[in-house]
């Protein structure tokens, strides 16, 4: 689980810039193919470490899909409809998040844990066909106009997140010398990342954007909400299954309640702002 979650933020920040370099549709197709092949490898993995490695690859593919799906909204939808399109995208994402735990719980109860990975293979193939058929392909920028990629910032971000996650995971909740050292390394890595981003010609994160109070408050709220949601999705299944004794299918149904509410509220939220198309 940690391997998958760590791989996503490692690439998701730079996926947009990579899309500008190699082409968004091309990179999205590569991400879907990587996710699909990694899912197949997860489903047939004979050892734990092969499963962990496949989960890392799966997370990299997922990061590409998550970042470029949002980018394609701005590229394919008129500005007047962007708000409604983003609301619809959020609703569809919430529907998928609702179906995932419930359907996954049923699959695990009936066919075992490998089924939740193998089911992604035909879905991935369908996504490749749809993306190739309907998403616009734009020519890549010339070498002179091609944006640069922040390799050092990406590396520092990956190492910082890895150290932070391991610091909170190793020791099973007990604080020790290794946890303390990893947490200190994460703090130093975070400070170095900010320093590198402040001086980089093509930074992953433009720190000047945080000078806008409204944007900073929105980003802080988004970070807090994401923290709560991810904590629920990661820790929740263990509490529901081991603490409350629910079977796998019921755990999936319980975890689907939150995303279901999000799915039902996404589009009406945009109607209330007048961004959705009127009849």
């Amino acid at each position: 689980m940690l391997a998958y979650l760590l791989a996503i933020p490692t690439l998701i920040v730079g996926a947009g810039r990579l899309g500008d370099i190699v082409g968004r549709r091309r990179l999205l197709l590569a991400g879907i193919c990587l996710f699909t092949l990694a899912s197949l490898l997860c489903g047939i993995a004979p050892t734990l470490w092969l499963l962990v490695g496949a989960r890392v690859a799966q997370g990299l593919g997922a990061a590409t899909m998550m970042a470029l799906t949002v980018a394609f909204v701005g590229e394919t939808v008129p500005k007047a409809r962007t708000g409604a399109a983003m609301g619809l995208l959020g609703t569809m994402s919430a529907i998928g998040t609702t179906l995932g735990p419930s359907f996954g719980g049923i699959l695990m109860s009936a066919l075992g844990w490998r089924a939740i990975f193998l089911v992604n293979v035909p879905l991935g193939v369908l996504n490749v066909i749809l993306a190739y058929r309907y998403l616009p392909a734009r020519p890549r920028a010339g070498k002179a106009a091609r944006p640069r990629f922040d390799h050092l910032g990406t590396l520092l971000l990956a190492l910082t997140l890895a150290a932070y996650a391991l610091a909170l995971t190793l020791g099973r909740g007990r604080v020790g010398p290794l946890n303390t050292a990893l947490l200190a390394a994460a703090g130093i890595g975070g400070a170095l990342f900010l320093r590198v981003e402040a001086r980089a010609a093509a930074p992953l994160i433009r720190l000047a954007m945080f000078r806008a109070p409204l944007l900073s408050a929105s980003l802080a709220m988004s970070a807090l909400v994401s923290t709560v949601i991810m904590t629920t999705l990661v820790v929740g299944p263990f509490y529901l299954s081991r603490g409350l004794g629910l079977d796998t299918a019921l755990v999936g149904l319980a975890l689907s309640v939150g995303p279901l509410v999000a799915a039902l509220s996404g589009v009406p939220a945009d109607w209330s702002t007048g961004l959705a198309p009127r009849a």
Side-chain angles (χ1 to χ4, degrees):
M1 188 182 299
L2 282 175
Y4 178 78
L5 293 178
L6 275 175
I8 291 178
T10 298
L11 184 60
I12 195 172
V13 180
R17 190 168 298 276
L18 280 175
D20 294 333
I21 296 173
V22 304
R24 288 179 180 174
R25 192 180 75 157
R26 179 176 298 183
L27 184 60
L28 180 61
L29 288 171
I32 298 173
C33 290
L34 177 61
F35 182 86
T36 304
L37 293 174
S39 298
L40 176 62
L41 188 57
C42 287
I44 63 176
T47 64
L48 175 62
W49 290 111
L50 184 57
L51 175 61
V52 172
R55 287 286 277 168
V56 172
Q58 195 183 37
L60 294 176
T64 304
M65 292 189 291
M66 292 168 63
L68 295 182
T69 300
V70 178
F72 266 109
V73 172
E75 185 175 311
T76 59
V77 178
K79 290 185 178 180
R81 301 281 300 275
T82 299
M86 291 297 294
L88 182 59
L89 180 64
T91 298
M92 297 305 296
S93 177
I95 290 174
T97 308
T98 302
L99 296 176
S102 55
F103 185 52
I106 295 173
L107 282 177
M108 289 179 64
S109 297
L111 302 175
W113 64 268
R114 295 181 185 272
I116 64 174
F117 295 113
L118 295 177
V119 73
N120 289 328
V121 177
L123 295 177
V125 172
L126 177 60
N127 273 303
V128 169
I129 296 173
L130 292 176
Y132 183 81
R133 173 66 178 82
Y134 292 106
L135 290 180
R138 289 191 174 185
R140 290 181 294 173
K143 292 184 178 180
R146 186 175 298 177
R148 288 174 288 181
F149 186 73
D150 186 6
H151 296 88
L152 181 57
T154 302
L155 178 62
L156 282 173
L157 179 63
L159 294 177
T160 299
L161 292 173
Y164 176 74
L166 291 174
L168 299 182
T169 304
L170 297 178
R172 299 182 178 273
R174 297 180 181 178
V175 179
L178 181 58
N179 305 71
T180 304
L182 286 171
L183 197 59
I188 295 173
L192 289 175
F193 174 73
L194 293 177
R195 184 173 183 179
V196 167
E197 294 304 285
R199 299 183 177 184
L204 289 177
I205 300 176
R206 298 188 181 277
L207 301 181
M209 295 189 304
F210 292 92
R211 296 174 183 173
L214 183 59
L215 178 60
S216 297
S218 300
L219 292 175
M221 182 62 66
S222 178
L224 290 174
V225 171
S226 298
T227 300
V228 174
I229 292 175
M230 292 308 300
T231 301
T232 303
L233 292 178
V234 173
V235 181
F238 297 101
Y239 173 73
L240 292 172
S241 61
R242 298 182 181 181
L244 300 183
L246 300 181
D247 61 26
T248 308
L250 288 178
V251 170
L253 290 174
L255 291 175
S256 299
V257 175
L260 177 61
V261 175
L264 295 176
S265 60
V267 173
D270 283 313
W271 287 347
S272 66
T273 62
L275 295 175
R278 295 187 178 92

